[in-house]
Coordinates of all heavy atoms in Angstrom, one line a residue:
T69 N 0.5 9.6 3.8 CA -0.1 8.4 3.4 C -0.3 8.3 1.8 O 0.0 7.3 1.2 CB -1.5 8.2 4.0 OG1 -1.3 8.2 5.4 CG2 -2.2 6.9 3.6
K70 N -0.8 9.4 1.3 CA -1.0 9.5 -0.2 C 0.4 9.3 -0.9 O 0.5 8.7 -1.9 CB -1.6 10.8 -0.6 CG -3.0 11.0 0.0 CD -3.6 12.3 -0.4 CE -5.0 12.5 0.1 NZ -5.5 13.9 -0.2
S71 N 1.4 9.9 -0.3 CA 2.8 9.8 -0.9 C 3.3 8.3 -0.9 O 3.9 7.9 -1.9 CB 3.7 10.7 -0.1 OG 5.0 10.6 -0.7
V72 N 3.0 7.6 0.2 CA 3.4 6.3 0.3 C 2.8 5.3 -0.7 O 3.4 4.5 -1.4 CB 3.2 5.7 1.7 CG1 3.4 4.1 1.7 CG2 4.1 6.3 2.7
V73 N 1.5 5.6 -1.0 CA 0.7 4.8 -2.0 C 1.3 5.2 -3.4 O 1.6 4.2 -4.1 CB -0.8 5.2 -1.9 CG1 -1.5 4.6 -3.2 CG2 -1.4 4.8 -0.7
S74 N 1.7 6.3 -3.6 CA 2.3 6.7 -4.9 C 3.7 6.2 -5.1 O 4.0 5.6 -6.1 CB 2.4 8.3 -5.1 OG 1.0 8.8 -5.1
E75 N 4.5 6.3 -4.1 CA 5.8 5.7 -4.1 C 5.7 4.2 -4.2 O 6.6 3.6 -5.0 CB 6.5 6.0 -2.8 CG 6.9 7.5 -2.6 CD 7.9 8.0 -3.6 OE1 8.6 7.1 -4.3 OE2 8.0 9.2 -3.8
C76 N 4.9 3.4 -3.6 CA 4.7 2.1 -3.8 C 4.4 1.7 -5.2 O 4.9 0.7 -5.8 CB 3.7 1.5 -2.9 SG 4.2 1.3 -1.1
F77 N 3.5 2.5 -5.8 CA 3.0 2.2 -7.2 C 4.3 2.4 -8.1 O 4.4 1.6 -9.1 CB 1.9 3.3 -7.5 CG 1.5 3.1 -8.9 CD1 0.6 2.1 -9.3 CD2 1.9 4.0 -9.9 CE1 0.2 2.0 -10.7 CE2 1.5 4.0 -11.3 CZ 0.6 2.9 -11.6
R78 N 5.1 3.4 -7.9 CA 6.2 3.6 -8.8 C 7.2 2.4 -8.7 O 7.9 2.2 -9.6 CB 6.9 4.9 -8.4 CG 6.2 6.1 -9.1 CD 7.0 7.4 -9.0 NE 7.0 8.0 -7.7 CZ 6.1 8.9 -7.3 NH1 5.2 9.3 -8.1 NH2 6.2 9.4 -6.1
R79 N 7.2 1.8 -7.5 CA 8.1 0.7 -7.2 C 7.5 -0.6 -7.5 O 8.2 -1.6 -7.5 CB 8.5 0.7 -5.8 CG 9.6 2.0 -5.5 CD 9.6 2.2 -4.0 NE 10.7 3.1 -3.6 CZ 10.5 4.4 -3.7 NH1 9.4 5.0 -4.2 NH2 11.6 5.2 -3.4
G80 N 6.3 -0.7 -8.0 CA 5.7 -1.9 -8.4 C 4.7 -2.7 -7.5 O 4.5 -3.8 -7.6
L81 N 4.3 -1.9 -6.4 CA 3.4 -2.5 -5.4 C 2.1 -1.7 -5.4 O 2.2 -0.4 -5.2 CB 4.1 -2.4 -4.1 CG 3.3 -3.0 -2.8 CD1 3.0 -4.5 -3.0 CD2 3.9 -2.7 -1.5
L82 N 1.0 -2.3 -5.6 CA -0.3 -1.7 -5.5 C -0.9 -1.9 -4.1 O -1.1 -3.0 -3.7 CB -1.2 -2.3 -6.6 CG -0.8 -2.2 -8.0 CD1 -1.8 -2.9 -8.9 CD2 -0.8 -0.6 -8.4
I83 N -1.1 -0.7 -3.5 CA -1.9 -0.8 -2.2 C -2.9 0.2 -2.2 O -2.9 1.2 -3.0 CB -0.9 -0.5 -1.0 CG1 -0.2 0.8 -1.1 CG2 0.1 -1.7 -0.9 CD1 0.7 1.2 0.0
L84 N -3.9 0.1 -1.3 CA -5.0 1.0 -1.2 C -5.0 1.6 0.2 O -4.3 1.1 1.2 CB -6.3 0.3 -1.4 CG -6.6 -0.3 -2.7 CD1 -7.9 -1.1 -2.7 CD2 -6.7 0.7 -3.8
T85 N -5.8 2.7 0.4 CA -5.8 3.3 1.7 C -7.3 2.8 2.4 O -8.1 2.4 1.6 CB -5.9 4.8 1.6 OG1 -6.8 5.2 0.8 CG2 -4.4 5.3 1.2
C86 N -7.3 2.9 3.7 CA -8.5 2.7 4.4 C -8.7 3.8 5.3 O -8.0 4.0 6.3 CB -8.5 1.4 5.1 SG -10.0 1.0 5.9
G87 N -9.6 4.8 4.9 CA -9.6 6.0 5.7 C -8.5 7.0 5.2 O -7.9 6.7 4.1
E88 N -8.3 8.0 5.9 CA -7.3 9.0 5.4 C -5.9 8.7 5.6 O -5.0 9.2 4.9 CB -7.6 10.4 6.2 CG -8.9 11.0 5.8 CD -9.1 12.4 6.4 OE1 -8.7 12.5 7.6 OE2 -9.6 13.3 5.7
N89 N -5.5 7.9 6.7 CA -4.1 7.6 7.0 C -3.7 6.2 7.2 O -2.9 6.0 8.0 CB -3.7 8.5 8.1 CG -4.5 8.2 9.4 OD1 -5.7 7.9 9.4 ND2 -3.7 8.1 10.4
T90 N -4.5 5.3 6.7 CA -4.2 3.9 7.0 C -4.0 3.1 5.6 O -4.9 3.2 4.7 CB -5.3 3.2 7.8 OG1 -5.5 3.8 9.0 CG2 -5.0 1.7 8.0
L91 N -2.8 2.5 5.5 CA -2.5 1.6 4.3 C -3.2 0.4 4.6 O -3.1 -0.3 5.6 CB -1.0 1.5 4.1 CG -0.2 2.9 4.1 CD1 1.2 2.5 4.0 CD2 -0.6 3.7 2.8
R92 N -3.8 -0.2 3.5 CA -4.5 -1.5 3.6 C -3.8 -2.5 2.8 O -3.5 -2.4 1.5 CB -5.9 -1.3 3.2 CG -6.7 -2.7 3.1 CD -8.2 -2.4 2.9 NE -8.4 -1.7 1.7 CZ -9.7 -1.4 1.2 NH1 -10.8 -1.9 1.8 NH2 -9.8 -0.8 0.1
L93 N -3.4 -3.6 3.4 CA -2.8 -4.7 2.7 C -3.7 -6.0 2.7 O -4.0 -6.5 3.7 CB -1.4 -5.2 3.3 CG -0.4 -4.0 3.5 CD1 0.9 -4.6 4.0 CD2 -0.1 -3.5 2.1
C94 N -4.1 -6.3 1.5 CA -5.0 -7.4 1.3 C -4.6 -8.2 0.1 O -5.3 -8.3 -0.9 CB -6.5 -7.0 1.3 SG -7.3 -6.4 2.6
P95 N -3.4 -8.8 0.2 CA -2.9 -9.6 -1.0 C -3.6 -10.9 -1.3 O -4.4 -11.4 -0.4 CB -1.4 -9.8 -0.6 CG -1.4 -9.9 0.9 CD -2.5 -8.9 1.3
P96 N -3.4 -11.5 -2.4 CA -4.0 -12.8 -2.7 C -3.6 -13.8 -1.7 O -2.4 -13.8 -1.1 CB -3.4 -13.1 -4.1 CG -3.1 -11.8 -4.7 CD -2.7 -10.9 -3.6
L97 N -4.5 -14.7 -1.3 CA -4.2 -15.7 -0.3 C -3.2 -16.7 -0.7 O -2.6 -17.4 0.2 CB -5.5 -16.6 -0.1 CG -6.5 -16.0 1.0 CD1 -6.9 -14.6 0.7 CD2 -7.6 -16.9 1.3
M98 N -2.7 -16.7 -2.0 CA -1.7 -17.6 -2.5 C -0.3 -16.9 -2.5 O 0.7 -17.5 -2.9 CB -2.0 -18.0 -3.9 CG -2.1 -16.9 -4.9 SD -2.8 -17.5 -6.5 CE -1.5 -18.5 -7.1
I99 N -0.1 -15.8 -1.9 CA 1.1 -15.0 -1.8 C 2.1 -15.9 -1.2 O 1.8 -16.7 -0.2 CB 1.0 -13.7 -1.0 CG1 2.2 -12.9 -1.1 CG2 0.6 -13.9 0.4 CD1 2.0 -11.4 -0.6
D100 N 3.4 -15.8 -1.6 CA 4.5 -16.7 -1.1 C 5.4 -15.9 -0.3 O 5.4 -14.6 -0.2 CB 5.2 -17.6 -2.1 CG 5.8 -16.8 -3.2 OD1 6.1 -15.6 -3.0 OD2 5.9 -17.3 -4.4
D101 N 6.5 -16.5 0.3 CA 7.5 -15.8 1.1 C 8.1 -14.8 0.3 O 8.4 -13.6 0.8 CB 8.5 -16.8 1.6 CG 8.0 -17.8 2.7 OD1 6.8 -17.6 3.1 OD2 8.8 -18.7 3.2
S102 N 8.6 -15.0 -0.9 CA 9.4 -14.1 -1.6 C 8.5 -12.8 -2.0 O 9.0 -11.7 -2.0 CB 9.9 -14.7 -3.0 OG 8.9 -15.2 -3.8
Q103 N 7.3 -13.0 -2.3 CA 6.4 -12.0 -2.6 C 6.2 -11.1 -1.4 O 6.1 -9.8 -1.5 CB 5.1 -12.4 -3.3 CG 5.3 -13.0 -4.6 CD 4.1 -13.8 -5.1 OE1 3.3 -14.4 -4.2 NE2 3.9 -13.9 -6.4
S104 N 5.9 -11.7 -0.2 CA 5.8 -11.0 1.0 C 7.0 -10.1 1.2 O 6.9 -8.9 1.7 CB 5.5 -11.9 2.2 OG 4.2 -12.5 2.0
D105 N 8.2 -10.6 1.2 CA 9.4 -10.0 1.5 C 9.5 -8.9 0.5 O 10.1 -7.8 0.9 CB 10.5 -11.0 1.4 CG 10.5 -12.0 2.6 OD1 9.8 -11.8 3.5 OD2 11.3 -13.0 2.4
A106 N 9.3 -9.2 -0.8 CA 9.3 -8.0 -1.8 C 8.4 -6.8 -1.4 O 8.8 -5.7 -1.6 CB 9.1 -8.5 -3.2
A107 N 7.2 -7.1 -1.0 CA 6.3 -6.1 -0.6 C 6.8 -5.3 0.6 O 6.7 -4.1 0.6 CB 4.9 -6.7 -0.3
L108 N 7.4 -6.0 1.6 CA 8.0 -5.3 2.7 C 9.1 -4.4 2.3 O 9.2 -3.3 2.8 CB 8.5 -6.4 3.7 CG 7.4 -7.2 4.5 CD1 8.0 -8.3 5.3 CD2 6.7 -6.2 5.4

C-alpha cells in the first residue's frame, strides 16, 4: 500500500491511505472523464 502511494506520486497522482492497507480516493467534485481515466 505504501509502495502504491509512492508510485502514484512519482507518476503525478496524489492519493492518501485510510488505515494501513486502504487507498482513499476523494478527488474534487468537478473532476471530469479525462481526469478520472488518467487517475485509473
Side-chain angles (χ1 to χ4, degrees):
T69 300
K70 295 177 182 177
S71 178
V72 171
V73 172
S74 297
E75 292 293 341
C76 283
F77 177 77
R78 280 193 282 270
R79 290 164 169 78
L81 178 65
L82 296 176
I83 58 175
L84 297 174
T85 57
C86 184
E88 292 184 319
N89 67 313
T90 299
L91 304 172
R92 177 172 54 176
L93 300 185
C94 290
L97 272 59
M98 60 190 297
I99 189 173
D100 59 27
D101 290 354
S102 63
Q103 292 167 333
S104 291
D105 293 345
L108 289 170

